[in-house]
Amino acid sequence: DGGITQSPKYLFRKEGQNVTLSCEQNLNHDAMYWYRQDPGQGLRLIYYSQIVNDFQKGDIAEGYSVSREKKESFPLTVTSAQKNPTAFYLCASSGLAGGGETQYFGPGTRLLVL
Amino acid sequence: EDQVTQSPEALRLQEGESSSLNCSYTVSGLRGLFWYRQDPGKGPEFLFTLYSAGEEKEKERLKATLTKKESFLHITAPKPEDSATYLCAVRETSGSRLTFGEGTQLTVNP
């Protein structure tokens, strides 16, 4: 089955702790994206990557970091600098970087602060 | 700056009562307009992509249309299983990122 997987489904963060959210895709897509969704709000772009070993900041990158060492994987680290991390995090991918390709989403990770 | 506004914020319908959701957008040049369905606690599910004014696409009880300033998602004879949040997003010609609206939460009562 081709698709996008995110893990874990729920993640709990303690004060001052860095946590990493996993995103893997087997769709052979070039581009991958991370979004944050807060209750009653639309999706806001955190980071995106159009090719391996390259990524760009989105609208709300402060307090987050990413890497793109493999085409299939785009992990997101929520650092201790992110003061309000409680949200639903969504990973997406699309076939062609810079094209009109549709973005497909994973099931999401809900991050909660203890 | 790209802007996407969806209305209404929430809509309650009786089963079988047809209606439309609106997505108004402002972009320097439209490369594509996307509709997604999102169920609570899940990732958005792709529905349609529209590329140019006048284009229409259909899937079961849903029909999406596009003009130069807005898109409509028409729901014909909805069923309770159509209850979800519907998201609209645009991509401009010069970029690879999407700008999302805040969504319309649709509830269909039996």
Side-chain angles (χ1 to χ4, degrees), chain A residues 9-93:
Chain A
K9 187 172 181 179
Y10 295 96
L11 186 57
F12 298 91
R13 194 191 90 163
K14 295 180 181 178
E15 197 78 30
Q17 186 181 38
N18 292 353
V19 292
T20 297
L21 286 62
S22 170
C23 177
E24 304 276 335
Q25 54 97 0
N26 61 4
L27 301 168
N28 199 32
H29 283 172
D30 288 312
M32 297 185 74
Y33 309 81
W34 274 106
Y35 293 91
R36 170 180 172 141
Q37 188 175 36
D38 293 282
Q41 295 191 27
L43 279 64
R44 293 184 290 168
L45 184 64
I46 305 172
Y47 269 98
Y48 63 105
S49 168
Q50 297 179 301
I51 196 168
V52 174
N53 292 322
D54 188 42
F55 48 83
Q56 289 78 40
K57 292 182 178 180
D59 299 320
I60 55 166
E62 186 175 350
Y64 300 97
S65 66
V66 293
S67 63
R68 187 84 187 278
E69 297 177 1
K70 299 187 299 181
K71 187 175 184 178
E72 303 79 21
S73 178
F74 191 40
L76 173 74
T77 297
V78 183
T79 75
S80 57
Q82 173 50 245
K83 298 306 179 188
N84 183 24
T86 298
F88 191 48
Y89 290 87
L90 289 158
C91 178
S93 69

Side-chain angles (χ1 to χ4, degrees), chain B residues 25-85:
Chain B
Y25 64 90
T26 304
V27 293
S28 55
L30 182 68
R31 188 166 195 144
L33 185 142
F34 303 82
W35 282 100
Y36 291 87
R37 169 195 169 124
Q38 186 176 25
D39 292 301
K42 298 195 175 179
E45 174 190 345
F46 170 69
L47 293 174
F48 304 109
T49 307
L50 302 167
Y51 293 103
S52 57
E55 190 174 359
E56 299 182 351
K57 289 194 176 172
E58 288 188 65
K59 180 181 179 180
E60 296 181 356
R61 295 176 292 283
L62 300 177
K63 179 180 176 180
T65 62
L66 181 65
T67 72
K68 289 187 178 180
K69 294 184 178 180
E70 57 192 349
S71 176
F72 292 93
L73 185 65
H74 307 277
I75 303 176
T76 302
K79 298 182 178 182
E81 53 262 42
D82 294 321
S83 298
T85 295

Side-chain angles (χ1 to χ4, degrees), chain B residues 63-108:
Chain B
K63 179 180 176 180
T65 62
L66 181 65
T67 72
K68 289 187 178 180
K69 294 184 178 180
E70 57 192 349
S71 176
F72 292 93
L73 185 65
H74 307 277
I75 303 176
T76 302
K79 298 182 178 182
E81 53 262 42
D82 294 321
S83 298
T85 295
Y86 290 85
L87 299 170
C88 171
V90 298
R91 168 178 276 155
E92 65 171 5
T93 51
S94 60
S96 62
R97 15 177 320 164
L98 295 182
T99 300
F100 280 84
E102 295 189 353
T104 294
Q105 184 175 3
L106 174 66
T107 303
V108 182

